[in-house]
Amino acid sequence: MIQAVMVISTQAKPRLLKFYNFQPPEKHQDLVRSVFQLLSARPDSVSNFVKVDSIFGLGTKMVYKHLATLYFVFVFDSSENELAMLDLIQAFVETLDKCFKNVCELDIVFNFNKLHTILDEMMLGGQVTETSSEQIMKSVEEIERRYYATKSSPR
């Protein structure tokens, strides 16, 4: 099961935090700090897979991708395949690119609702539900269309 999805800037600012198992809100900043310290100390030449037992508990792993000024991080348990998680990050980034036409950190900052909608279309309760960027974009566009239709209709 996926336990957490994080998008963290290279300045250690959390741009997205989604936990699928309970983490007290006061612990969120400590988790982000620990993950960022681990990632920023790793050279580019090493693997993107990391055991994070000391941060998230026994049996947890983390896979990440560093793109431009962002780290895309998925934390998961031993029931998930590491390469599948790396592919899931790729699908997430590709979907963001389609949505924002070459996504950047500002897109994420100013469109966090859309970011959460995309993530919610990809997974539910820590389980992957959809990996097709095209299908996810259709769902997101339908949600937006219905949202704006209700906003513009007179009551």
Coordinates of all heavy atoms in Angstrom, one line a residue, residues 18 22 29 44 48 50 59 61 70 137 147 155:
K18 N 0.2 14.1 1.0 CA -1.0 13.3 1.1 C -0.6 12.0 1.8 O 0.3 11.2 1.3 CB -1.5 13.0 -0.3 CG -2.7 12.2 -0.4 CD -3.9 13.1 -0.4 CE -5.2 12.2 -0.7 NZ -6.3 13.0 -1.1
F22 N -2.6 7.4 9.0 CA -2.7 8.6 9.8 C -1.3 9.0 10.3 O -0.5 8.2 10.8 CB -3.6 8.3 11.0 CG -3.6 9.5 12.0 CD1 -4.3 10.6 11.6 CD2 -2.9 9.5 13.1 CE1 -4.3 11.8 12.4 CE2 -2.9 10.6 14.0 CZ -3.6 11.7 13.6
Q29 N 5.7 18.2 9.4 CA 6.9 19.0 9.1 C 8.2 18.2 9.4 O 9.2 18.3 8.7 CB 6.9 20.3 9.9 CG 7.9 21.3 9.3 CD 7.6 21.7 7.9 OE1 6.5 21.8 7.5 NE2 8.6 21.9 7.1
D44 N 23.3 12.4 -7.5 CA 22.4 12.0 -8.6 C 22.8 10.6 -9.1 O 21.9 10.0 -9.8 CB 22.6 13.1 -9.7 CG 21.9 14.4 -9.3 OD1 21.1 14.4 -8.4 OD2 22.3 15.4 -9.9
N48 N 17.2 5.6 -7.1 CA 16.1 6.4 -6.6 C 15.2 5.6 -5.6 O 14.1 6.1 -5.2 CB 15.2 6.8 -7.8 CG 15.9 7.8 -8.7 OD1 17.1 7.9 -8.6 ND2 15.1 8.4 -9.5
V50 N 14.9 4.0 -1.7 CA 15.5 4.2 -0.4 C 14.7 3.4 0.6 O 13.4 3.6 0.6 CB 15.6 5.6 0.0 CG1 16.4 5.8 1.3 CG2 16.3 6.5 -1.1
G59 N 9.7 -1.7 7.4 CA 9.2 -2.2 6.1 C 8.8 -1.2 5.1 O 8.2 -1.6 4.1
K61 N 9.5 1.7 2.2 CA 10.5 2.1 1.2 C 10.0 3.4 0.6 O 8.8 3.8 0.7 CB 10.6 1.1 0.1 CG 11.1 -0.3 0.6 CD 11.1 -1.3 -0.5 CE 11.4 -2.7 0.0 NZ 11.3 -3.7 -1.0
L70 N 11.7 20.2 -8.2 CA 10.8 19.4 -7.3 C 11.3 18.0 -7.1 O 11.9 17.4 -8.0 CB 9.4 19.4 -8.0 CG 8.7 20.7 -8.1 CD1 7.5 20.6 -9.0 CD2 8.3 21.3 -6.7
M137 N -7.0 12.6 -17.3 CA -7.3 13.9 -17.8 C -8.8 14.0 -18.2 O -9.4 15.1 -17.9 CB -6.5 14.2 -19.0 CG -5.0 14.6 -18.6 SD -4.9 15.9 -17.4 CE -5.7 17.3 -18.3
Y147 N -18.1 21.3 -12.1 CA -17.9 22.3 -11.0 C -18.3 23.7 -11.6 O -19.0 24.4 -10.9 CB -16.4 22.3 -10.5 CG -16.1 23.4 -9.6 CD1 -16.5 23.3 -8.3 CD2 -15.4 24.5 -10.0 CE1 -16.3 24.3 -7.4 CE2 -15.1 25.5 -9.1 CZ -15.5 25.4 -7.8 OH -15.3 26.4 -6.9
R155 N -29.4 30.0 -9.1 CA -30.1 29.2 -8.1 C -31.4 29.8 -7.7 O -31.6 30.9 -7.5 CB -29.2 29.0 -6.9 CG -28.0 28.2 -7.3 CD -27.1 28.0 -6.1 NE -25.8 27.5 -6.7 CZ -25.2 26.5 -6.2 NH1 -25.7 25.8 -5.3 NH2 -24.1 26.1 -6.8

